[in-house]
Amino acid sequence: MSNAHQLLTVGEAAHRSGATVAALHHYEDLGLLSPQRTAGNQRRYPRHLLRRIALIRMASSVGIPLADIREAMRTLPEDRAPNRTEWEHLTGLWRDAIEERIQTLQQMRSQFIECIGCGCLSMSRCTIVNPGDELAPPGTHLGRGGGRGRRRED
């Protein structure tokens, strides 16, 4: 197979990876991908970039910021798909952040379930959403550091 047949157009890369063409352009703008260019300045994606696209999509789907993904991907080889050891090192960088996110979501789920189970239906008196039963100043959210205003009159 010649090298030209191993290169994908942006549309082919998008179709094969499940990403949109706009997402691939965005990843390139952020320095996450470096497709080749033809003499006519069209993008061509080596097949090994499909692995990078998959990693970008997976990492961002679990909440890893694109800037962090870019920094981590700088440790990977540019001319080939990373091997197992390189992938394990890369994903190991994010393991703690993912565990922390899971714990936060579990705590939020517990609070949410407790709130639904309460049945009080009172946003003004709820001890979870509005512990002090206070009116929040404009631009703040109850339960998120707001609620430091005058007492709500019901």
Side-chain angles (χ1 to χ4, degrees):
M1 183 179 274
S2 70
N3 188 35
H5 293 293
Q6 293 180 357
L7 298 176
L8 305 170
T9 66
V10 67
E12 291 168 334
H15 178 74
R16 299 262 321 257
S17 68
T20 64
V21 169
L24 297 181
H25 291 176
H26 183 63
Y27 298 158
E28 182 182 357
D29 291 343
L30 294 175
L32 291 162
L33 297 175
S34 298
Q36 298 174 8
R37 296 288 182 147
T38 66
N41 202 31
Q42 295 176 334
R43 293 170 176 87
R44 292 294 184 261
Y45 291 79
R47 291 169 50 101
H48 68 82
L49 286 185
L50 293 173
R51 299 276 181 151
R52 286 178 177 258
I53 297 166
L55 179 69
I56 294 165
R57 295 185 72 217
M58 181 277 305
S60 63
S61 74
V62 296
I64 306 296
L66 291 175
D68 292 350
I69 297 169
R70 179 183 57 235
E71 289 304 311
M73 289 183 78
R74 287 185 176 156
T75 67
L76 298 177
E78 292 271 338
D79 61 341
R80 63 174 172 79
N83 62 36
R84 183 178 186 89
T85 302
E86 291 162 336
W87 278 131
E88 287 174 354
H89 171 74
L90 185 66
T91 57
L93 297 173
W94 300 322
R95 190 169 288 121
D96 290 341
I98 292 169
E99 287 298 326
E100 183 177 316
R101 185 175 175 99
I102 289 169
Q103 288 177 354
T104 299
L105 288 170
Q106 287 174 336
Q107 288 172 347
M108 291 170 67
R109 179 187 62 202
S110 294
Q111 289 176 340
F112 182 69
I113 290 170
E114 183 179 334
C115 189
I116 288 174
C118 167
C120 75
L121 302 176
S122 171
M123 296 303 275
S124 65
R125 290 187 279 277
C126 180
T127 60
I128 295 173
V129 177
N130 188 5
D133 190 19
E134 299 175 282
L135 182 63
T140 61
H141 299 283
L142 295 175
R144 296 273 182 177
R148 301 270 191 281
R150 62 181 171 37
R151 193 144 183 90
R152 173 175 244 156
E153 301 293 326
D154 283 349

